[in-house]
Amino acid sequence: MSRVSLTQYLVEQQREHGHIPGELRLLIEVVARTCKRIAISVNKGALGDVLGSAGTANVQGEVQKKLDVIANELLLEANEWGGNLAAMASEEMDTIHLVPNRYPQGEYLLLYDPLDGSSNIDVNVSIGTIFSVLKKPGTQQGVSEADFLQPGQSQVAAGYCVYGPQTMLVLTVGDGVAMFTLDREMGSWSLTAENVRIPEDTKEFAINMSNLRHWAPPVRRYIDECLAGTTGPRKKDFNMRWVASMVADVHRILTRGGIFMYPWDQREPDKPGKLRLMYEANPMAFLVEQAGGAATNGVQRILELQPGKLHERVSVILGSKNEVERVTGYHTPRP
Ligand code: AHM
Ligand code: MG
């Protein structure tokens, strides 16, 4: 059976639906191609000497794994010279990375978490790459960090690649969500799911339960009610899953529904949450909304949040619409 390739899908989006200009299509193809290279490194594991710590820390003070650094370098290198980008930003780089002068400048900005779920690298559990594409505002030459600080609803494309039992690329250009599976023999991405929809209701939640005692009352209430099962107010039993790789948890939710939460907690009250807004929460929120789900920080739609800085953190509640609305409703709206 012949399947639609990523290129065919994108060309259709460009030609027939007019959703994406040619430059954006090429940019997405470069990101997708780089994910294939990252997948090769991930698969080699110890044979490729890619496991373990790199012995360095990123701007957020987190120890970098070798694969964090390798994936970051691969994405930088592949995207610099294509002519479609003005600058890039990454979880693993302190500041934005301008496209060097020797290459033509494009009009897009690319943000990414090169290797999400770093704690799972060495234990052979699914990990991923998350990316978000924005358009550079204005027409003036040069790019600054301020150009990146756009709310998530300005994203023109977003997606992730999950390195799991299958390597899959999940993408939105604002016209629903499509999933592609890497065909290793062919070396190409084949469309394997289109118009992905997240069921509005679910009986499955994902949260790091070890933080329970630190949560705010609305999150505690929601989880307590789930745990109470058939005899509690929800009158049904819930199941729990926590991969500790956001890509894998979101992939499950896009596939069969569920709710994912990484909420604020009182250990570091000044930090809104663990996850980063611009290259983790925003792209995932865009995908989830495009699949009919919802994504909030407890009081506001994630895609409407105005970022104040590149590595800003955010509280995340996303997935099946009715459940996300329920938890959000338990929070007292800010005045
Ligand atoms: P990372 O980008 O450094 O890998 O951190 C983000 C990850 C998410 O993928 C995941 O949901 C979360 O951190 C897991 O955190 P915890 O180890 O606290 O459960
Ligand atoms: Mg991450």
Side-chain angles (χ1 to χ4, degrees):
M1 181 176 125
S2 100
R3 288 188 178 272
V4 172
S5 70
L6 174 67
T7 302
Q8 271 174 293
Y9 174 85
L10 290 173
V11 168
E12 261 173 44
Q13 288 290 329
Q14 181 188 342
R15 271 198 218 138
E16 287 168 37
H17 309 297
H19 276 130
I20 51 168
E23 295 75 38
L24 180 54
R25 171 170 72 78
L26 293 171
L27 165 54
I28 294 169
E29 294 215 50
V30 174
V31 173
R33 203 157 49 234
T34 315
C35 288
K36 283 195 250 178
R37 294 192 59 187
I38 298 173
I40 291 170
S41 282
V42 168
N43 291 151
K44 283 214 159 80
L47 301 177
D49 191 25
V50 297
L51 303 184
S53 164
T56 46
N58 66 15
V59 65
Q60 3 232 343
E62 298 158 342
V63 174
Q64 291 176 305
K65 296 285 177 68
K66 283 185 194 165
L67 265 176
D68 287 323
V69 176
I70 293 168
N72 190 59
E73 287 296 322
L74 286 172
L75 281 158
L76 269 187
E77 218 177 83
N79 284 287
E80 264 187 352
W81 51 269
N84 306 307
L85 275 182
M88 288 175 261
S90 156
E91 178 176 321
E92 305 303 339
M93 298 189 296
D94 302 6
T95 52
I96 63 169
H97 178 91
L98 302 178
V99 168
N101 285 335
R102 60 184 183 280
Y103 301 123
Q105 309 282 311
E107 54 178 344
Y108 292 102
L109 306 173
L110 175 67
L111 295 110
Y112 51 82
D113 177 354
L115 221 289
D116 181 63
S118 306
S119 73
N120 282 323
I121 295 174
D122 294 350
V123 293
N124 199 3
V125 169
S126 296
I127 47 181
T129 297
I130 310 173
F131 64 94
S132 160
V133 186
L134 295 164
K135 209 157 176 199
K136 178 169 129 10
T139 49
Q140 81 284 10
Q141 284 286 307
V143 197
S144 69
E145 184 172 315
D147 292 326
F148 280 82
L149 304 181
Q150 306 177 39
Q153 58 194 3
S154 303
Q155 292 171 102
V156 291
Y160 63 79
C161 179
V162 57
Y163 312 108
Q166 301 114 44
T167 296
M168 291 184 71
L169 181 77
V170 178
L171 176 72
T172 184
V173 292
D175 181 32
V177 175
M179 295 183 172
F180 303 84
T181 304
L182 182 60
D183 181 330
R184 287 186 186 276
E185 282 78 48
M186 303 292 289
S188 59
W189 296 106
S190 291
L191 182 68
T192 43
E194 223 179 340
N195 303 318
V196 172
R197 300 306 288 171
I198 300 175
E200 292 190 352
D201 293 299
T202 182
K203 290 160 94 175
E204 202 159 65
F205 65 84
I207 193 164
N208 184 338
M209 286 292 288
S210 66
N211 298 328
L212 181 142
R213 69 189 186 285
H214 305 298
W215 297 333
V219 174
R220 187 91 188 240
R221 174 183 168 193
Y222 175 76
I223 296 297
D224 280 347
E225 289 178 0
C226 293
L227 295 177
T230 45
T231 53
R234 302 300 310 275
K235 297 187 172 37
K236 57 181 183 181
D237 287 333
F238 279 76
N239 186 25
M240 194 202 87
R241 287 287 182 272
W242 185 250
V243 184
S245 286
M246 191 192 199
V247 271
D249 280 313
V250 169
H251 193 71
R252 184 187 59 255
I253 288 170
L254 283 168
T255 307
R256 69 174 188 213
I259 180 168
F260 169 96
M261 288 186 270
Y262 212 118
W264 170 92
D265 79 46
Q266 63 190 14
R267 281 169 300 176
E268 291 183 88
D270 297 335
K271 215 159 93 175
K274 175 183 181 182
L275 300 176
R276 274 58 51 122
L277 173 62
M278 299 212 59
Y279 40 80
E280 292 178 325
N282 272 343
M284 293 311 201
F286 190 18
L287 286 164
V288 164
E289 284 202 5
Q290 282 291 314
T296 77
N297 66 352
V299 289
Q300 231 183 320
R301 242 178 102 214
I302 284 180
L303 294 182
E304 285 174 8
L305 298 171
Q306 173 59 49
K309 53 181 188 191
L310 199 56
H311 297 291
E312 184 162 320
R313 297 184 188 250
V314 66
S315 175
V316 176
I317 302 167
L318 60 76
S320 291
K321 201 161 184 272
N322 291 339
E323 294 300 307
V324 173
E325 283 174 1
R326 175 180 284 267
V327 196
T328 306
Y330 289 177
H331 289 70
T332 314
R334 290 203 187 105

